[in-house]
Amino acid sequence: MRVEGMDCASCVGKIETALARMPDVSDVRVNFTTETIELTLAPGAATQVGEIEKTIKSLGFRVSDTRQISSSADAAIDVALAPAARNQRWWQTRKGSHVVGLGVLMGGAYAIAQFFPLYAEWIFAAAVVAGVIPFARKAVALAMSGSPFSIETLMSVAAIGALVIGEAEEAAAVVFLFAVGELLESVAAGRARAGIKALASLVPKTATLLDPNGNQRSVPATSLRVNDLVLVRPGDRVPADGHIVQGASSLDESPVTGESVPRPKSTGEGVFAGSINVDGVLQVRVEKTAADNTISRIIQLVEQAQASKAPTARFIEKFSRYYTPAVMLIAALIIVIPPLAMGGDWNTWLYRGLALLLIACPCALVLSTPAAIASGLAIGTRRGLLIKGGNALETIGKVRAIAFDKTGTLTEGKPRVTEVLAFGKGDENVVIGLAAAVETGSNHPLAKAILGRAEAAGIAIPSATDASATPGKAVHATVGGRRLAVSSPSHAAQAAKLGASERKAIEKLEASGNTVAVLFDETSREVLGLVALRDEPRHDAREGVAQLKAMGVRSVMLTGDNHRTAQAIANGLGIEWKAELLPQDKLDFVNEMKRTTKVAMVGDGINDAPALATAHVGIAMGGGTDVAIETADAALLKSRVTDVAHLVALSRATMANIHQNVIFALSLKGLFLVTSMLGITGLWIAVLADTGATAIVTLNALRLLRFKGAATADGDGDEDRSVPRLVAVQNH
């Protein structure tokens, strides 16, 4: 079944609890990400599908589709092709119109109160009734299905109690704020699901199929079967997982591996669906269908990770399991026992019971968390730290280990020329000029880096003719009457005269984490020079890792690159490392760390999406792919590694503020609960206590807006000075 309206992890628990109580229903699995429910009905079950739909609808959710789903890949594709209703603006949704209606009623009441105070109370009362009915109806349904003390029950009792004793304005405010919170959760949930659609779009919709006679025809990529032969031209995306049966080329596998440098591939080697063919024509034998290819598996990993992830439940909902029944019981006992057991006056004890109920109204408690969270989210946004909701902000401060992707996260994600060595008569500028001439017209990332170096240094690039390429091996051109080539060291070892000094230089450069391009004369086979390129670390990467270490957070670098490059980068940053990892390997490593500690994952690529989803909190670099940003719980819009430390510190400061608010609100309410039961304080003190606690809690939460720990946008040096203050705040 497809179920719409699930906004948070608690929705999953409510549905599972309700369905598990129904006869002959078992194996209930609710997937929050894809908005689907799978369950098993026993043969000849007394419970019918229609009854299941009715139960789900009674809880406030919508059942838009009831059918069999053959596989999780079908579910992934289905969510990518979701109904247009999911693309509604927030004010077009049911929850959005509810919030707008309540806002209009409250605004009208405040306006009328300025001129006709007596009528304002009635409008506030109307707002309470209109606002609380959906929550009260849901609370009743939840109570009947096994969840009697939900947050809906808490809010309904608080609003109705305040209305009964004449505090309609306060009751309306409580209902309105809760409705806004529900709407924000709904919007956040919708954005989280957008990542699945972005993933599904990576695989091309069509493929060029070759029949046994060599004829070509375009077919849907989803129709490909194992052993089909497909043609992949330069610039095309590979339509399915398979192996090359003819041709050679460089393939950009960054959608899968995250690595920026294309890898040369030739006959017999495997290719991934979604990879981009750079320069050669390939014939690929399909090894896996669309439902089982690499991208589909990544989609499934993201779904499974998000479905199994248990974000920290809202504090008030957990607390209300005990708080709500306890308060209701105490109020009932105060109203009933003294008149029955001690001959007390009914009116007096009813008054005291209502006063107690008003004091116990959870306004201050309800506001303590969202007010602080809202302030934390606001100051984070100002500093370029996009945090997707309170659960993420709360969890970030609890992490004790952070796994970083390498390419595009700790590094810039773009190869740059790091060193040039000249042999023979030419100097470094001559080598760069000739190499750039050979590479002119190539779209290969390494070619762009060489051309960029020549332009930046103001080096004149000679004209080149008869340019050609040996896919995955070398680029050739005639420059100044000489036939030159720029190739990989392995190709140069066969086509040029690599002496001991050249080989030693290549080994030294590669040991430093560089990719080496060899420039040589194809006629004389003379090596003219070496160009070393490397994806350099971000300027603040080492500082960011050091800041996290000072905060007691362990950092680990995860990469699909080779061990030699990974070690060179990691040694320069002072970070632990793991190399040659596929998306599944990153996921496994994060799961392994989760067994012993709270873990965050920082990444920017599609290959990072499963690990971002399965970590306790996922953090995406702002310059990364849409999939990574949508899958993650937070995004660093300015792509600074130091912002990870700022994010952790902001979370810890926010949680400290929440704890202060909760302790204050509970202490104040506890004090006046006792005085109300003893008859020392009356209704007006109860109103003052509740309103005062709400005001103080709100003001304390607003103090977070003065939080100066996050880095400034202009990079004027405040970032460096901010770190000690962040650490001081968290230690305090």
Side-chain angles (χ1 to χ4, degrees), residues 142-480:
L142 286 168
M144 295 177 65
S145 63
S147 303
F149 300 118
S150 63
I151 196 168
E152 286 79 10
T153 301
L154 182 69
M155 296 305 301
S156 300
V157 170
I160 295 172
L163 186 61
V164 167
I165 60 174
E167 291 296 325
E169 181 179 349
E170 183 179 9
V174 169
V175 173
F176 178 70
L177 288 172
F178 184 69
V180 170
E182 293 282 295
L183 174 62
L184 291 176
E185 283 188 340
S186 179
V187 172
R191 285 192 59 80
R193 294 183 178 110
I196 300 295
K197 184 176 180 180
L199 276 170
S201 67
L202 290 174
V203 179
K205 300 296 184 290
T206 61
T208 302
L209 182 67
L210 295 174
D211 64 20
N213 297 322
N215 298 318
Q216 304 175 13
R217 60 189 176 94
S218 181
V219 299
T222 53
S223 69
L224 294 176
R225 296 291 177 261
V226 176
N227 290 325
D228 280 351
L229 189 64
V230 294
L231 182 69
V232 185
R233 303 181 181 90
D236 288 349
R237 285 185 182 270
V238 178
D241 284 8
H243 66 274
I244 300 171
V245 296
Q246 183 177 322
S249 181
S250 294
L251 283 101
D252 178 0
E253 297 181 338
S254 58
V256 179
T257 66
E259 299 310 315
S260 57
V261 178
R263 294 188 176 182
K265 297 258 179 131
S266 57
T267 302
E269 295 187 84
V271 293
F272 298 117
S275 300
I276 302 170
N277 184 18
V278 176
D279 47 27
V281 178
L282 301 176
Q283 292 186 15
V284 175
R285 183 76 66 186
V286 176
E287 293 182 337
K288 294 178 181 176
T289 61
D292 198 33
N293 66 32
T294 303
I295 298 297
S296 293
R297 291 202 307 274
I298 292 178
I299 291 175
Q300 293 168 31
L301 289 172
V302 172
E303 288 177 0
Q304 293 164 6
Q306 290 183 335
S308 63
K309 182 175 10 181
T312 305
R314 290 177 294 183
F315 172 80
I316 296 301
E317 180 164 9
K318 294 190 340 186
F319 186 76
S320 69
R321 295 176 188 172
Y322 308 98
Y323 182 82
T324 304
V327 166
M328 295 175 68
L329 178 60
I330 293 172
L333 292 176
I334 286 177
I335 293 172
V336 174
I337 290 181
L340 292 180
M342 299 179 289
D345 179 66
W346 280 99
N347 287 336
T348 299
W349 288 102
L350 177 61
Y351 180 87
R352 291 182 181 180
L354 290 176
L356 183 148
L357 192 61
L358 180 58
I359 291 172
C361 177
C363 297
L365 283 175
V366 169
L367 284 173
S368 63
T369 299
I373 292 293
S375 295
L377 296 177
I379 194 65
T381 302
R382 287 185 202 170
R383 304 294 190 255
L385 312 175
L386 179 62
I387 309 164
K388 299 180 182 178
N391 280 331
L393 182 58
E394 179 180 350
T395 307
I396 290 167
K398 298 177 181 178
V399 300
R400 290 295 179 269
I402 296 182
F404 287 91
D405 171 54
K406 178 182 75 69
T407 304
T409 302
L410 290 173
T411 68
E412 296 287 352
K414 298 177 181 179
R416 296 181 181 179
V417 175
T418 58
E419 194 170 349
V420 180
L421 296 180
F423 300 102
K425 300 177 181 178
D427 59 13
E428 295 180 6
N429 288 346
V430 171
V431 171
I432 283 291
L434 292 175
V438 175
E439 295 281 12
T440 300
S442 174
N443 288 321
H444 196 287
L446 297 183
K448 292 179 180 179
I450 292 172
L451 287 164
R453 172 64 176 269
E455 292 172 3
I459 299 172
I461 301 176
S463 60
T465 59
D466 299 328
S468 63
T470 302
K473 296 181 179 180
V475 180
H476 318 270
T478 300
V479 181

Side-chain angles (χ1 to χ4, degrees), residues 309-311 395 399 590 594 597-600 612-618 633:
K309 182 175 10 181
T395 307
V399 300
V590 170
K594 281 176 65 178
T597 189
K598 287 277 187 184
V599 178
L612 287 170
T614 200
H616 291 108
V617 59
D633 303 296

